[in-house]
Amino acid sequence: MIETKGGMVIGVRRPAMAGKLYWRITQWVMPFHTMIPPYGDNALNGHAFVPIDDENCMVWCFTHHPTRQLSAHELETMRNGGGIHVKLLPGSFRPVVNKDNDYMIDRVAQRHHKSYSGVKGIAMQDAAIQESCGPIQDRSRENLVSTDNGVIMARARLRKAVLAVTAGAAPDGLDPTTHAVRSAAILLPEAASFYHAAGDALVVREGIAHASV
């Protein structure tokens, strides 16, 4: 994890070819935008987690490609709840699969090892886990470990930003240059710092597609 002026960059790696690591690099742009690392020439995806009140937020999912229009297939997939998107109840922003219907969990599919969670769709699997924790959590009961470093650093980053505003500074994330960033999926040398080695791949370059393998 690397703290930036406009938020944070999170890198996750796994072995690739000899001497190389495959890095998936996510951008968090303050206060509530995330950019998911891409695959191949697929479009870029992201979320905006916009607070409504102390117990609710609206999650906006967005998909775009920096160098071409979205295809008819991509648009149809989005409308039908594919990928990070969900199918909505007509005339509303509420997903068809939701907490009130127990996320339409399919126990038969689970028993026959056709679905681990029983919940259809990436977006609603995430929502089911997030919402099932309840709106307010007692963080003193947590037992965070090394794989939770992203959570730990994000909380520290938010606290730092709040304290800065309390002291009279401008809120982080207002500078437009901090928005001109990209997520990336990239091969890098084993010994390299993912943030510095990725370089321009993490910056918007007009007319140039995102870095993806």
Side-chain angles (χ1 to χ4, degrees), residues 3 9 11 13 31 37 43 62 70 83 86 94-95 104 112 131 136 156 174 201 209:
E3 181 180 318
V9 180
R13 71 185 188 186
F62 54 88
L70 296 180
V86 298
R94 186 156 179 76
M104 296 184 177
H112 290 84
E131 293 178 344
I136 304 295
L174 294 184

Side-chain angles (χ1 to χ4, degrees), residues 118-142:
V119 178
K120 185 177 180 180
I122 296 171
M124 293 319 300
Q125 288 176 25
D126 287 351
I129 295 300
Q130 293 159 357
E131 293 178 344
S132 64
C133 293
I136 304 295
Q137 287 297 298
D138 180 1
R139 302 299 180 189
S140 67
R141 300 179 63 187
E142 286 183 328

Side-chain angles (χ1 to χ4, degrees), residues 28-29 34 47 54 56 70 78 82 96 145 147 153 178 194:
W28 172 40
V29 181
T34 58
H47 295 98
D54 287 345
N56 298 278
L70 296 180
M78 292 164 58
V96 172
V145 296
T147 53
M153 190 169 179
T178 64
F194 80 88

Side-chain angles (χ1 to χ4, degrees), residues 74-182:
E74 287 170 328
L75 292 172
E76 188 64 18
T77 298
M78 292 164 58
R79 293 189 185 103
N80 288 321
I84 66 167
H85 297 274
V86 298
K87 203 159 189 176
L88 301 175
L89 293 170
S92 79
F93 290 112
R94 186 156 179 76
V96 172
V97 178
N98 59 65
K99 186 177 181 180
D100 293 341
N101 54 36
D102 200 22
Y103 306 99
M104 296 184 177
I105 191 165
D106 189 339
R107 297 299 188 189
V108 175
Q110 284 183 301
R111 283 196 294 270
H112 290 84
H113 306 290
K114 294 181 179 180
S115 171
Y116 182 79
S117 69
V119 178
K120 185 177 180 180
I122 296 171
M124 293 319 300
Q125 288 176 25
D126 287 351
I129 295 300
Q130 293 159 357
E131 293 178 344
S132 64
C133 293
I136 304 295
Q137 287 297 298
D138 180 1
R139 302 299 180 189
S140 67
R141 300 179 63 187
E142 286 183 328
N143 183 27
L144 299 180
V145 296
S146 60
T147 53
D148 297 312
N149 281 342
V151 174
I152 296 167
M153 190 169 179
R155 290 178 184 169
R157 185 70 181 87
L158 286 168
R159 184 175 185 275
K160 179 180 178 180
V162 169
L163 291 175
V165 171
T166 302
D172 289 334
L174 294 184
D175 182 355
T177 62
T178 64
H179 307 164
V181 295
R182 281 185 180 160

